[in-house]
Amino acid sequence: MAQDYSYSLYTPIDNTGSSYNAFKSAYKNVSFTLQLMTERPLTDAESANLPGLSFNTYGVVDFWRILLAYNGLQDPIQDVYAGLNFKFPTKASIVSWLTQQQINSSITRLI
């Protein structure tokens, strides 16, 4: 069975109940944590299809939001364009980091 790396598993809903809380997301500060694999400009097709880019690079569509965060971007429509020099972290560092985030979020702290 494939691992589920959905953004919704790592980002809680905000207090309105209608949006994700990016400030409490496990995806924040990812650009300081993951190991760089390569860096190159995006093509027209890649800039218009980040889930496809994620799948072609890692074999998983769920990493497209990590790619945005790793590059310091937020909006896949306005921030991503052809020719943008895009950084790609290693898949191993992504999986390791997400696994650690799951472990950290499941720890019960007694006060």
Side-chain angles (χ1 to χ4, degrees), residues 8 26-27 68 90:
S8 60
Y27 283 38
L68 273 180
T90 64

Side-chain angles (χ1 to χ4, degrees), residues 1 16 19 21 25-26 39 65 70 75 77 83 86 96 106-107:
M1 185 161 104
T16 67
S19 299
N21 186 338
S25 175
E39 187 173 351
R65 288 186 187 255
Y70 189 69
D75 188 336
I77 305 298
F86 216 66
S96 172
S106 66
I107 294 173

Side-chain angles (χ1 to χ4, degrees), residues 78-90:
Q78 294 184 3
D79 295 344
V80 180
Y81 54 88
L84 175 66
N85 203 27
F86 216 66
K87 296 184 282 186
F88 296 85
T90 64

